[in-house]
Coordinates of all heavy atoms in Angstrom, one line a residue:
M1 N 15.9 -42.6 -99.7 CA 17.3 -43.1 -99.8 C 17.4 -43.7 -101.2 O 16.6 -44.6 -101.5 CB 17.5 -44.1 -98.7 CG 17.4 -43.6 -97.3 SD 17.9 -44.7 -96.0 CE 16.6 -45.9 -96.0
E2 N 18.3 -43.2 -102.0 CA 18.4 -43.6 -103.4 C 19.4 -44.7 -103.7 O 19.1 -45.6 -104.5 CB 18.7 -42.4 -104.3 CG 17.7 -41.3 -104.2 CD 18.0 -40.1 -105.1 OE1 19.2 -39.6 -104.9 OE2 17.2 -39.8 -105.9
S3 N 20.5 -44.6 -103.1 CA 21.6 -45.6 -103.3 C 22.6 -45.5 -102.2 O 22.4 -44.7 -101.3 CB 22.3 -45.3 -104.7 OG 22.8 -44.0 -104.7
W4 N 23.6 -46.4 -102.3 CA 24.6 -46.4 -101.2 C 26.0 -46.4 -101.8 O 26.2 -46.7 -103.0 CB 24.4 -47.7 -100.3 CG 24.4 -49.0 -101.1 CD1 23.4 -49.5 -101.8 CD2 25.5 -49.9 -101.2 NE1 23.8 -50.7 -102.4 CE2 25.1 -50.9 -102.0 CE3 26.8 -49.8 -100.7 CZ2 25.9 -52.0 -102.3 CZ3 27.7 -50.9 -101.0 CH2 27.2 -52.0 -101.8
R5 N 26.9 -46.0 -101.0 CA 28.3 -45.9 -101.4 C 29.1 -47.0 -100.7 O 28.7 -47.5 -99.6 CB 28.9 -44.6 -101.0 CG 28.2 -43.4 -101.7 CD 28.9 -42.1 -101.4 NE 28.9 -41.7 -100.0 CZ 27.9 -41.1 -99.4 NH1 26.8 -40.8 -100.0 NH2 28.0 -40.8 -98.1
Y6 N 30.3 -47.4 -101.3 CA 31.1 -48.4 -100.7 C 31.5 -48.0 -99.3 O 31.8 -46.8 -99.0 CB 32.4 -48.5 -101.6 CG 33.4 -49.5 -101.0 CD1 33.2 -50.8 -101.2 CD2 34.5 -49.1 -100.3 CE1 34.1 -51.8 -100.7 CE2 35.4 -50.0 -99.7 CZ 35.2 -51.3 -100.0 OH 36.0 -52.3 -99.4
G7 N 31.4 -48.9 -98.4 CA 31.7 -48.7 -97.0 C 30.5 -48.3 -96.2 O 30.6 -47.9 -95.0
L8 N 29.3 -48.5 -96.8 CA 28.0 -48.2 -96.1 C 28.0 -48.9 -94.7 O 28.4 -50.0 -94.5 CB 26.8 -48.8 -96.9 CG 25.5 -48.7 -96.2 CD1 25.0 -47.3 -96.1 CD2 24.5 -49.6 -96.9
K9 N 27.7 -48.1 -93.7 CA 27.6 -48.6 -92.3 C 26.1 -49.1 -92.1 O 25.3 -48.3 -91.7 CB 28.0 -47.5 -91.4 CG 29.4 -47.1 -91.5 CD 29.8 -46.0 -90.6 CE 31.3 -45.6 -90.8 NZ 31.7 -44.5 -90.0
K10 N 25.9 -50.3 -92.4 CA 24.6 -50.9 -92.4 C 23.9 -50.9 -91.0 O 22.8 -50.5 -90.8 CB 24.6 -52.4 -92.8 CG 25.1 -52.5 -94.3 CD 25.0 -54.0 -94.7 CE 25.6 -55.0 -93.8 NZ 25.6 -56.3 -94.3
V11 N 24.7 -51.3 -90.0 CA 24.1 -51.3 -88.6 C 23.8 -49.9 -88.2 O 22.8 -49.6 -87.6 CB 25.1 -52.0 -87.7 CG1 24.6 -51.9 -86.2 CG2 25.3 -53.5 -88.0
S12 N 24.7 -48.9 -88.5 CA 24.4 -47.6 -88.1 C 23.2 -47.0 -88.8 O 22.4 -46.3 -88.2 CB 25.7 -46.7 -88.4 OG 26.8 -47.1 -87.6
L13 N 23.0 -47.3 -90.0 CA 21.9 -46.8 -90.8 C 20.6 -47.4 -90.2 O 19.6 -46.7 -90.0 CB 22.0 -47.2 -92.3 CG 20.8 -46.8 -93.1 CD1 20.5 -45.3 -93.1 CD2 21.0 -47.3 -94.6
T14 N 20.6 -48.7 -89.9 CA 19.4 -49.4 -89.3 C 19.1 -48.7 -88.0 O 18.0 -48.4 -87.7 CB 19.7 -50.9 -89.1 OG1 19.9 -51.4 -90.4 CG2 18.5 -51.6 -88.5
K15 N 20.1 -48.5 -87.1 CA 20.0 -47.9 -85.8 C 19.5 -46.5 -85.9 O 18.6 -46.0 -85.2 CB 21.3 -47.9 -85.1 CG 21.2 -47.7 -83.6 CD 22.6 -47.9 -83.0 CE 22.6 -47.5 -81.6 NZ 23.9 -47.6 -81.0
L16 N 19.9 -45.7 -86.9 CA 19.5 -44.3 -87.1 C 18.0 -44.3 -87.4 O 17.3 -43.5 -86.9 CB 20.3 -43.7 -88.3 CG 19.8 -42.3 -88.7 CD1 20.1 -41.3 -87.6 CD2 20.5 -41.9 -90.0
Q17 N 17.5 -45.2 -88.3 CA 16.1 -45.2 -88.6 C 15.3 -45.6 -87.4 O 14.2 -45.0 -87.1 CB 15.8 -46.2 -89.7 CG 16.4 -45.9 -91.0 CD 16.2 -47.0 -92.0 OE1 15.2 -47.2 -92.6 NE2 17.3 -47.8 -92.2
Y18 N 15.8 -46.5 -86.6 CA 15.1 -47.0 -85.4 C 15.0 -45.9 -84.4 O 13.9 -45.6 -83.8 CB 15.8 -48.2 -84.9 CG 15.3 -48.8 -83.6 CD1 14.1 -49.4 -83.5 CD2 16.0 -48.6 -82.4 CE1 13.6 -49.9 -82.3 CE2 15.6 -49.1 -81.2 CZ 14.4 -49.8 -81.2 OH 13.9 -50.3 -80.0
E19 N 16.1 -45.2 -84.1 CA 16.2 -44.3 -83.0 C 15.7 -42.9 -83.4 O 14.9 -42.3 -82.6 CB 17.6 -44.1 -82.5 CG 18.2 -45.4 -81.8 CD 19.6 -45.3 -81.4 OE1 20.3 -44.3 -81.8 OE2 20.1 -46.2 -80.7
K20 N 16.0 -42.4 -84.6 CA 15.6 -41.1 -85.0 C 14.2 -41.0 -85.5 O 13.5 -40.0 -85.3 CB 16.6 -40.5 -86.0 CG 16.3 -39.2 -86.6 CD 16.9 -38.0 -85.9 CE 18.3 -37.8 -85.9 NZ 18.6 -36.7 -85.0
L21 N 13.8 -42.0 -86.3 CA 12.5 -42.0 -86.9 C 11.4 -42.8 -86.2 O 10.2 -42.7 -86.6 CB 12.6 -42.5 -88.4 CG 13.6 -41.7 -89.3 CD1 13.6 -42.3 -90.7 CD2 13.3 -40.2 -89.3
G22 N 11.8 -43.6 -85.3 CA 10.9 -44.4 -84.5 C 10.3 -45.6 -85.3 O 9.3 -46.1 -84.9
L23 N 11.0 -46.0 -86.3 CA 10.6 -47.2 -87.1 C 11.0 -48.4 -86.2 O 11.8 -48.4 -85.4 CB 11.3 -47.3 -88.4 CG 11.1 -46.2 -89.4 CD1 11.9 -46.4 -90.7 CD2 9.7 -46.0 -89.7
S24 N 10.2 -49.5 -86.5 CA 10.6 -50.8 -85.8 C 12.0 -51.2 -86.2 O 12.4 -50.9 -87.3 CB 9.5 -51.8 -86.0 OG 9.6 -52.3 -87.4
L25 N 12.6 -52.0 -85.4 CA 13.9 -52.6 -85.8 C 13.8 -53.4 -87.0 O 14.7 -53.3 -87.9 CB 14.5 -53.4 -84.6 CG 16.0 -53.7 -84.7 CD1 16.8 -52.5 -84.9 CD2 16.4 -54.4 -83.4
S26 N 12.7 -54.2 -87.1 CA 12.5 -55.0 -88.3 C 12.3 -54.2 -89.6 O 13.0 -54.5 -90.6 CB 11.3 -55.9 -88.1 OG 11.0 -56.6 -89.2
E27 N 11.5 -53.1 -89.5 CA 11.3 -52.3 -90.7 C 12.6 -51.5 -91.0 O 12.9 -51.4 -92.2 CB 10.2 -51.2 -90.4 CG 9.8 -50.4 -91.6 CD 8.7 -49.4 -91.3 OE1 8.2 -49.4 -90.1 OE2 8.3 -48.7 -92.2
S28 N 13.4 -51.1 -90.0 CA 14.6 -50.4 -90.3 C 15.6 -51.3 -91.0 O 16.3 -50.9 -92.0 CB 15.2 -49.9 -89.0 OG 14.4 -49.0 -88.3
K29 N 15.7 -52.5 -90.6 CA 16.6 -53.5 -91.2 C 16.1 -53.8 -92.6 O 17.0 -53.9 -93.5 CB 16.7 -54.8 -90.3 CG 17.7 -55.7 -90.9 CD 17.9 -57.0 -90.1 CE 19.0 -57.9 -90.7 NZ 19.0 -58.1 -92.1
T30 N 14.8 -54.0 -92.8 CA 14.3 -54.3 -94.1 C 14.6 -53.1 -95.1 O 15.0 -53.4 -96.2 CB 12.8 -54.5 -94.0 OG1 12.5 -55.7 -93.2 CG2 12.2 -54.7 -95.4
N31 N 14.5 -51.9 -94.6 CA 14.8 -50.7 -95.5 C 16.3 -50.8 -95.9 O 16.6 -50.5 -97.0 CB 14.5 -49.4 -94.7 CG 13.1 -49.1 -94.7 OD1 12.3 -49.7 -95.4 ND2 12.7 -48.2 -93.8
T32 N 17.2 -51.1 -94.9 CA 18.6 -51.2 -95.2 C 18.9 -52.3 -96.2 O 19.6 -52.1 -97.1 CB 19.4 -51.4 -93.9 OG1 19.1 -50.3 -93.0 CG2 20.9 -51.4 -94.1
D33 N 18.3 -53.4 -96.0 CA 18.5 -54.5 -96.9 C 18.0 -54.2 -98.3 O 18.6 -54.5 -99.3 CB 17.8 -55.8 -96.4 CG 18.5 -56.4 -95.2 OD1 19.6 -56.0 -94.9 OD2 17.8 -57.2 -94.4
M34 N 16.8 -53.5 -98.4 CA 16.3 -53.2 -99.7 C 17.2 -52.2 -100.4 O 17.4 -52.2 -101.6 CB 14.9 -52.6 -99.5 CG 13.8 -53.6 -99.2 SD 12.2 -53.0 -98.7 CE 11.8 -52.1 -100.2
L35 N 17.7 -51.2 -99.6 CA 18.7 -50.3 -100.2 C 19.9 -51.0 -100.8 O 20.4 -50.7 -101.9 CB 19.1 -49.3 -99.1 CG 20.0 -48.1 -99.6 CD1 19.3 -47.2 -100.6 CD2 20.6 -47.4 -98.4
L36 N 20.4 -52.0 -100.1 CA 21.5 -52.8 -100.6 C 21.2 -53.6 -101.8 O 22.1 -53.9 -102.6 CB 22.0 -53.7 -99.5 CG 22.8 -53.0 -98.3 CD1 23.0 -54.0 -97.2 CD2 24.1 -52.5 -98.8
D37 N 19.9 -53.9 -102.0 CA 19.4 -54.5 -103.2 C 19.1 -53.5 -104.3 O 18.4 -53.9 -105.3 CB 18.2 -55.4 -102.9 CG 18.6 -56.7 -102.1 OD1 19.7 -57.1 -102.2 OD2 17.7 -57.2 -101.4
D38 N 19.6 -52.3 -104.2 CA 19.4 -51.2 -105.2 C 18.0 -50.8 -105.4 O 17.6 -50.4 -106.5 CB 20.1 -51.6 -106.5 CG 21.6 -51.9 -106.4 OD1 22.2 -51.1 -105.6 OD2 22.1 -52.8 -107.0
Q39 N 17.2 -50.8 -104.3 CA 15.8 -50.3 -104.3 C 15.8 -48.9 -103.7 O 16.5 -48.7 -102.7 CB 14.9 -51.3 -103.6 CG 14.8 -52.6 -104.3 CD 13.8 -53.5 -103.6 OE1 12.7 -53.1 -103.2 NE2 14.1 -54.8 -103.4
I40 N 15.0 -48.1 -104.2 CA 14.9 -46.7 -103.6 C 13.9 -46.8 -102.5 O 12.8 -47.4 -102.6 CB 14.3 -45.7 -104.7 CG1 15.4 -45.5 -105.8 CG2 14.0 -44.4 -104.0 CD1 15.0 -44.7 -106.9
I41 N 14.2 -46.2 -101.3 CA 13.4 -46.2 -100.1 C 12.9 -44.8 -99.9 O 13.6 -43.9 -99.8 CB 14.2 -46.7 -98.9 CG1 15.0 -48.0 -99.1 CG2 13.3 -46.8 -97.7 CD1 14.2 -49.1 -99.5
I42 N 11.6 -44.7 -99.8 CA 10.9 -43.4 -99.5 C 10.4 -43.4 -98.1 O 9.6 -44.3 -97.7 CB 9.8 -43.1 -100.5 CG1 10.3 -43.0 -101.9 CG2 9.1 -41.8 -100.1 CD1 9.3 -42.9 -103.0
L43 N 10.9 -42.5 -97.3 CA 10.5 -42.3 -95.9 C 9.8 -41.0 -95.8 O 10.2 -40.0 -96.2 CB 11.8 -42.3 -95.0 CG 12.7 -43.5 -95.1 CD1 14.0 -43.2 -94.3 CD2 12.0 -44.7 -94.4
E44 N 8.6 -41.1 -95.2 CA 7.8 -39.9 -94.9 C 8.2 -39.4 -93.5 O 7.9 -40.0 -92.5 CB 6.3 -40.2 -95.0 CG 5.9 -40.5 -96.4 CD 4.4 -40.7 -96.6 OE1 3.7 -40.1 -95.8 OE2 4.0 -41.4 -97.5
I45 N 8.8 -38.2 -93.5 CA 9.2 -37.6 -92.2 C 8.5 -36.2 -92.2 O 8.7 -35.3 -93.0 CB 10.7 -37.4 -92.2 CG1 11.4 -38.7 -92.4 CG2 11.1 -36.8 -90.8 CD1 12.9 -38.6 -92.6
E46 N 7.6 -36.1 -91.2 CA 6.7 -34.9 -91.1 C 7.6 -33.6 -90.8 O 7.4 -32.6 -91.3 CB 5.7 -35.1 -90.0 CG 4.7 -36.2 -90.3 CD 3.7 -35.8 -91.4 OE1 3.4 -34.6 -91.5 OE2 3.4 -36.7 -92.2
D47 N 8.5 -33.7 -89.8 CA 9.3 -32.6 -89.4 C 10.5 -32.4 -90.3 O 11.3 -33.2 -90.4 CB 9.7 -32.9 -87.9 CG 10.5 -31.7 -87.3 OD1 11.6 -31.4 -87.8 OD2 10.0 -31.2 -86.3
E48 N 10.5 -31.2 -90.9 CA 11.5 -30.9 -91.9 C 12.9 -30.8 -91.3 O 13.9 -31.3 -91.9 CB 11.3 -29.6 -92.6 CG 12.2 -29.4 -93.8 CD 11.8 -28.2 -94.7 OE1 10.6 -27.8 -94.7 OE2 12.7 -27.6 -95.3
N49 N 13.0 -30.3 -90.1 CA 14.3 -30.3 -89.4 C 14.8 -31.7 -89.1 O 16.0 -32.0 -89.3 CB 14.2 -29.5 -88.1 CG 14.0 -28.0 -88.3 OD1 14.5 -27.5 -89.3 ND2 13.3 -27.3 -87.4
M50 N 13.9 -32.6 -88.7 CA 14.3 -33.9 -88.4 C 14.7 -34.6 -89.7 O 15.7 -35.4 -89.7 CB 13.2 -34.7 -87.7 CG 13.6 -36.2 -87.4 SD 12.4 -37.1 -86.6 CE 12.4 -36.3 -85.0
A51 N 14.0 -34.3 -90.8 CA 14.4 -34.9 -92.1 C 15.8 -34.4 -92.5 O 16.6 -35.2 -93.0 CB 13.4 -34.5 -93.1
Q52 N 16.1 -33.2 -92.3 CA 17.5 -32.7 -92.6 C 18.5 -33.3 -91.8 O 19.6 -33.7 -92.3 CB 17.5 -31.1 -92.4 CG 16.7 -30.3 -93.4 CD 17.2 -30.4 -94.8 OE1 18.3 -30.9 -95.1 NE2 16.5 -29.8 -95.7
E53 N 18.2 -33.5 -90.5 CA 19.2 -34.2 -89.6 C 19.4 -35.6 -90.1 O 20.5 -36.1 -90.1 CB 18.7 -34.2 -88.2 CG 18.7 -32.8 -87.5 CD 18.1 -32.8 -86.1 OE1 17.9 -33.9 -85.5 OE2 17.7 -31.7 -85.7
F54 N 18.3 -36.3 -90.4 CA 18.4 -37.7 -90.9 C 19.2 -37.8 -92.1 O 20.1 -38.6 -92.2 CB 17.0 -38.3 -91.1 CG 17.0 -39.7 -91.6 CD1 17.1 -40.7 -90.8 CD2 17.0 -39.9 -93.0 CE1 17.2 -42.1 -91.2 CE2 17.1 -41.2 -93.5 CZ 17.2 -42.3 -92.6
L55 N 19.0 -36.9 -93.1 CA 19.8 -36.9 -94.3 C 21.2 -36.7 -94.1 O 22.1 -37.4 -94.7 CB 19.3 -35.8 -95.3 CG 17.9 -35.9 -95.9 CD1 17.5 -34.7 -96.7 CD2 17.8 -37.2 -96.8
A56 N 21.6 -35.8 -93.2 CA 23.0 -35.5 -92.9 C 23.7 -36.7 -92.3 O 24.8 -37.1 -92.6 CB 23.1 -34.3 -92.0
E57 N 23.0 -37.3 -91.3 CA 23.6 -38.5 -90.7 C 23.6 -39.7 -91.6 O 24.6 -40.4 -91.6 CB 22.8 -38.9 -89.4 CG 22.9 -37.8 -88.3 CD 22.3 -38.2 -87.0 OE1 22.5 -39.4 -86.5 OE2 21.5 -37.4 -86.5
A58 N 22.6 -39.9 -92.4 CA 22.6 -41.0 -93.4 C 23.7 -40.8 -94.4 O 24.4 -41.8 -94.7 CB 21.2 -41.1 -94.1
D59 N 24.0 -39.6 -94.8 CA 25.1 -39.3 -95.7 C 26.4 -39.7 -95.1 O 27.2 -40.3 -95.8 CB 25.1 -37.8 -96.1 CG 26.2 -37.5 -97.1 OD1 26.1 -38.0 -98.2 OD2 27.1 -36.8 -96.7
K60 N 26.6 -39.4 -93.8 CA 27.8 -39.8 -93.1 C 28.0 -41.3 -93.1 O 29.1 -41.8 -93.1 CB 27.8 -39.3 -91.7 CG 28.0 -37.8 -91.6 CD 27.9 -37.4 -90.1 CE 27.8 -35.9 -89.9 NZ 27.6 -35.5 -88.5
F61 N 26.9 -42.1 -93.1 CA 27.0 -43.5 -93.1 C 27.1 -44.2 -94.4 O 27.2 -45.4 -94.6 CB 25.7 -44.1 -92.4 CG 25.6 -43.7 -90.9 CD1 24.3 -43.5 -90.4 CD2 26.7 -43.5 -90.1 CE1 24.2 -43.1 -89.0 CE2 26.5 -43.1 -88.8 CZ 25.3 -42.9 -88.3
G62 N 27.1 -43.3 -95.5 CA 27.3 -43.8 -96.9 C 26.0 -44.0 -97.7 O 26.0 -44.8 -98.7
V63 N 25.0 -43.2 -97.4 CA 23.7 -43.3 -98.1 C 23.6 -42.0 -99.0 O 23.9 -40.9 -98.6 CB 22.5 -43.3 -97.2 CG1 21.2 -43.4 -98.0 CG2 22.6 -44.6 -96.3
N64 N 23.2 -42.2 -100.3 CA 22.9 -41.1 -101.2 C 21.4 -40.9 -101.0 O 20.6 -41.8 -101.4 CB 23.3 -41.5 -102.6 CG 24.8 -41.8 -102.7 OD1 25.6 -41.0 -102.2 ND2 25.1 -42.8 -103.5
C65 N 21.0 -39.8 -100.5 CA 19.6 -39.5 -100.3 C 19.3 -38.0 -100.5 O 20.2 -37.2 -100.5 CB 19.1 -40.0 -99.0 SG 20.1 -39.4 -97.6
K66 N 18.0 -37.7 -100.7 CA 17.6 -36.4 -100.9 C 16.1 -36.2 -100.4 O 15.4 -37.2 -100.3 CB 17.7 -35.9 -102.4 CG 16.7 -36.7 -103.3 CD 16.9 -36.2 -104.7 CE 15.9 -37.0 -105.6 NZ 16.0 -36.6 -107.0
M67 N 15.7 -35.0 -100.2 CA 14.4 -34.7 -99.8 C 13.5 -34.5 -101.1 O 14.0 -33.8 -102.0 CB 14.3 -33.5 -98.9 CG 14.7 -33.7 -97.5 SD 14.6 -32.3 -96.4 CE 12.9 -31.8 -96.6
I68 N 12.3 -35.0 -101.1 CA 11.3 -34.7 -102.1 C 10.1 -34.2 -101.3 O 9.7 -34.7 -100.3 CB 11.0 -35.9 -103.0 CG1 11.0 -37.2 -102.2 CG2 11.9 -36.0 -104.1 CD1 10.6 -38.4 -103.0
Q69 N 9.5 -33.2 -101.9 CA 8.3 -32.6 -101.2 C 7.1 -32.7 -102.0 O 7.0 -32.9 -103.2 CB 8.6 -31.1 -100.9 CG 9.8 -31.0 -100.0 CD 10.1 -29.6 -99.5 OE1 9.3 -28.7 -99.7 NE2 11.2 -29.4 -98.9

């Protein structure tokens, strides 16, 4: 996750990380807060399909992100 757009849905992004990636609620919230502080967040997602789904949903919530391999 590289940056965020105006209208970012913080709670939805935190919930997405928690539910889709299995991160702890605390880690998910920390990632969201760090993103809001203009820090780049790198998430390691083993399953490429899941990564694509995560990217699509995160984009809907106002996150600018991309896959790096």
